Amino acid sequence: MSREGYVRDLRALIGPGPVNLIGVAALITDLHGHLLLARRVNADRWGLIAGLSELGESPDTTLRREVHEESRLTVKGAHLIDLLAPAGLSEAPNGDQFFAYTAAYRVTGWHGTPQPDGHELADLRFFPRADLPHLPLTRLGRAALAWTA
């Protein structure tokens, strides 16, 4: 089983049955306190930059890798703010079932200019906190409301 492509390799062995997956989410703000939200390709809701851990990868390493892959930002500092348990069994469009556990991090330092990768993310924007309740948000986007209150 390769380190990269862990979920793909795992699914090749076990099929679409339920598994536990660990992922991360990044709460990133600019100097004005505006929250960076991402819109995935072919989606209309806004959420946080997020992704799954590869085999043997720590959540901290996953955070730094996912943020860089999806936004081209380099995380300089972060701390864990929450661990979200799954809301229930989820199913991917291809039928794969999973329980998703998410380690949420507040990014305390970053470098670069946010640029969506165009593969997973279609758009990245900073939003003032006051605008968040009026946006169509993902589960992680709604969680960010509490984390930024």
Side-chain angles (χ1 to χ4, degrees):
M1 194 170 291
S2 70
R3 182 165 185 192
E4 291 77 27
Y6 164 65
V7 174
R8 179 196 65 232
D9 293 350
L10 180 66
R11 288 300 183 185
L13 292 172
I14 68 163
V19 295
N20 285 330
L21 298 175
I22 182 74
V24 299
L27 190 74
I28 301 171
T29 55
D30 66 9
L31 294 175
H32 307 288
H34 298 165
L35 180 64
L36 183 63
L37 293 179
R39 187 176 55 78
R40 297 212 167 268
V41 172
N42 299 322
D44 60 353
R45 296 182 302 155
W46 292 89
L48 301 176
I49 294 173
L52 294 174
S53 293
E54 296 290 349
L55 184 62
E57 187 176 54
S58 72
D60 181 70
T61 299
T62 302
L63 172 76
R64 293 167 191 282
R65 177 182 54 77
E66 285 290 344
V67 168
H68 190 264
E69 285 177 1
E70 294 185 4
S71 71
R72 299 298 171 238
L73 295 177
T74 300
V75 173
K76 298 292 188 181
H79 67 270
L80 183 67
I81 57 172
D82 205 351
L83 180 61
L84 298 175
L89 181 65
S90 295
E91 188 169 313
N94 67 358
D96 289 351
Q97 297 178 329
F98 59 94
F99 292 96
Y101 295 83
T102 305
Y105 286 84
R106 181 178 304 276
V107 174
T108 56
W110 53 272
H111 175 70
T113 301
Q115 300 171 32
D117 65 1
H119 173 68
E120 291 185 62
L121 299 185
D123 201 358
L124 281 168
R125 291 188 216 165
F126 283 100
F127 289 93
R129 170 70 173 76
D131 289 354
L132 299 184
H134 309 292
L135 294 172
L137 297 172
T138 65
R139 177 177 175 240
L140 291 174
R142 289 188 304 276
L145 288 171
W147 297 325
T148 59

